[in-house]
Amino acid sequence: MATCLVVANSLFRPPKPILPHKHHPLQPISSHSLPKSPLNSTFLKPHFSHSDSCRFRFLAPASLGETDASSDEPLPLVGEDSAAFDLGTQNIVSWVYFTIILGVVLFVLDVFWIDNSTGFGKAFIDAVSTLSDSHEIVMLALILIFATVHSGLASFRDMGEKLLGKRAYRVLFAGVSLPLAVSTVVYFINHRYDGVQLWQLQNGPGVHQLVWLSNFISFFFLYPSTFNLLEVAAVDQPKVHLWETGIMRITRHPQMVGQVIWCLAHTIWIGNSVAVAASVGLIGHHLFGVWNGDRRLAVQHGEAFEVVKKRTSIIPFAAILDGRQKLPKDYYKEFIRLPYLAITAMTLGAYFLHPVMQAASFRLHW
């Protein structure tokens, strides 16, 4: 597992006068206290105090859970820096492959699932609809099917990657999950106003602005691995990342938080039983993902994950407020990155394209 590194005493200190009546014999350094592998250079950084003297903090092996509660300085990262994107390190050939793969995936999805004349999407919706005449029950059933397949494949990822390889298993994971997700979204769009109306707040003062802002914010809680498009498309080898910066400082499960915000906003706006059913199903799925995600990260990263777990929280801002998460002074820079700018553009685009999405869903007659 990851080498255990925390901030220890300063390496250099101002000389102190030696008192004749006290003796401080030097203690031999045990070989067990030395690191067995070279220290990562990213963990050895000079620390400058506000005093006139310059001190350097030395990172020594200790237990991963150890922290310096008296220090206002953020501890060295154990996990990875999320949403980092350096144009200078990008491989053009990889992005060409990504574009080709995306085009092929969309074509196959259209032919084998979306197009009613050739695909199985409508037959799948019709089969699930035979379970009940209630749109609420069908909505919950679609979410349950997607959640079972999606979380099930994620849970068996280690086993599947050993059998098929990481890239092949990612293709299987996406190839099964994507059609089910499309079916669930399309059914929700087409039947969102078919339920029993419980309240009507759309004309209330400030409701539209609140719902719009909530939806906009919800997309900034995307899990950072979503930004790794080359891994998502299996162009780069997929990995189970342990993220620690950016949105992860606010909440360890941003996808769940974002989904809750999105569901509450849409339920307030639509105000009927179908919206409530969809929200209950989606939030329930993501609450399960909180437990399942922590379990998988603990298996994959072991003690390093336990450190990140202690520094973060499920409830947004809880770790920051109780002092377990110490934000860097330039924390805002962790959001001024290309992936978040892309999310801003895509979120605004999705809002203005709502009529197009609704018209396309209606034409499927799902």
Side-chain angles (χ1 to χ4, degrees):
M1 304 313 295
T3 304
C4 177
L5 298 173
V6 292
V7 177
N9 294 329
S10 301
L11 184 62
F12 301 110
R13 295 180 181 275
K16 295 181 179 180
I18 300 177
L19 300 178
H21 61 280
K22 291 186 180 181
H23 299 282
H24 304 277
L26 295 175
Q27 299 295 326
I29 299 176
S30 171
S31 60
H32 297 290
S33 66
L34 296 176
K36 297 181 180 179
S37 59
L39 291 175
N40 189 323
S41 60
T42 58
F43 291 98
L44 291 174
K45 296 184 179 180
H47 169 75
F48 300 97
S49 65
H50 295 290
S51 63
D52 294 333
S53 61
C54 174
R55 300 183 180 182
F56 293 88
R57 291 189 175 182
F58 178 69
L59 302 179
S63 68
L64 272 172
E66 186 176 345
T67 59
D68 183 4
S70 63
S71 174
D72 291 331
E73 295 291 331
L75 294 171
L77 294 181
V78 173
E80 299 177 63
D81 186 18
S82 65
F85 187 88
D86 185 1
L87 285 173
T89 63
Q90 299 303 306
N91 188 336
I92 296 179
V93 175
S94 296
W95 286 103
V96 171
Y97 285 152
F98 170 80
T99 304
I100 294 173
I101 291 172
L102 179 61
V104 171
V105 168
L106 293 177
F107 175 78
V108 172
L109 180 65
D110 180 61
V111 172
F112 288 95
W113 197 259
I114 296 177
D115 192 326
N116 286 335
S117 62
T118 59
F120 296 94
K122 189 176 189 308
F124 170 71
I125 293 293
D126 290 343
V128 177
S129 297
T130 59
L131 296 174
S132 175
D133 293 331
S134 168
H135 295 298
E136 294 84 355
I137 298 297
V138 175
M139 186 78 256
L140 285 170
L142 288 171
I143 294 175
L144 179 61
I145 293 170
F146 168 77
T148 302
V149 172
H150 187 78
S151 295
L153 289 174
S155 298
F156 291 104
R157 177 173 178 170
D158 289 341
M159 183 186 303
E161 288 180 343
K162 291 178 182 178
L163 293 174
L164 303 177
K166 293 186 176 182
R167 285 188 171 88
Y169 194 77
R170 173 54 60 90
V171 172
L172 173 64
F173 178 81
V176 176
S177 298
L178 187 57
L180 296 177
V182 169
S183 297
T184 305
V185 171
V186 169
Y187 187 87
F188 173 74
I189 293 175
N190 285 346
H191 298 280
R192 66 195 186 280
Y193 289 120
D194 291 343
V196 178
Q197 197 67 36
L198 303 175
W199 58 79
Q200 185 69 46
L201 302 176
Q202 293 183 1
N203 295 325
V207 172
H208 179 269
Q209 291 78 2
L210 174 63
V211 170
W212 188 94
L213 183 61
S214 299
N215 280 287
F216 183 80
I217 292 174
S218 70
F219 283 93
F220 283 89
F221 282 85
L222 286 173
Y223 192 64
S225 288
T226 310
F227 307 149
N228 293 3
L229 296 179
L230 295 181
E231 288 187 28
V232 172
V235 176
D236 288 347
Q237 184 166 279
K239 302 175 184 177
V240 178
H241 293 274
L242 181 62
W243 304 113
E244 196 178 358
T245 65
I247 198 68
M248 305 302 288
R249 297 184 188 273
I250 297 175
T251 170
R252 191 169 67 254
H253 290 280
Q255 196 83 25
M256 179 274 294
V257 174
Q259 186 68 76
V260 169
I261 295 173
W262 186 93
C263 286
L264 292 178
H266 278 78
T267 302
I268 290 172
W269 182 255
I270 298 172
N272 67 13
S273 54
V274 170
V276 171
S279 294
V280 169
L282 289 172
I283 292 175
H285 170 47
H286 282 79
L287 289 177
F288 171 79
V290 169
W291 171 83
N292 198 32
D294 278 356
R295 180 190 64 82
R296 293 172 56 224
L297 287 173
V299 171
Q300 187 73 25
H301 296 281
E303 200 172 358
F305 168 70
E306 296 302 322
V307 176
V308 174
K309 185 177 180 179
K310 290 179 180 179
R311 298 177 184 176
T312 56
S313 60
I314 297 173
I315 300 175
F317 301 103
I320 298 173
L321 293 176
D322 65 22
R324 289 182 289 123
Q325 176 64 236
K326 300 183 185 298
L327 299 179
K329 294 180 180 179
D330 56 353
Y331 170 62
Y332 66 92
K333 292 183 180 179
E334 295 179 358
F335 288 91
I336 307 178
R337 291 174 170 176
L338 184 59
Y340 284 108
L341 295 177
I343 289 175
T344 302
M346 292 175 62
T347 304
L348 292 174
Y351 172 76
F352 291 113
L353 289 176
H354 261 58
V356 176
M357 292 162 44
Q358 293 167 5
S361 297
F362 178 75
R363 283 197 295 269
L364 293 175
H365 300 291
W366 290 3

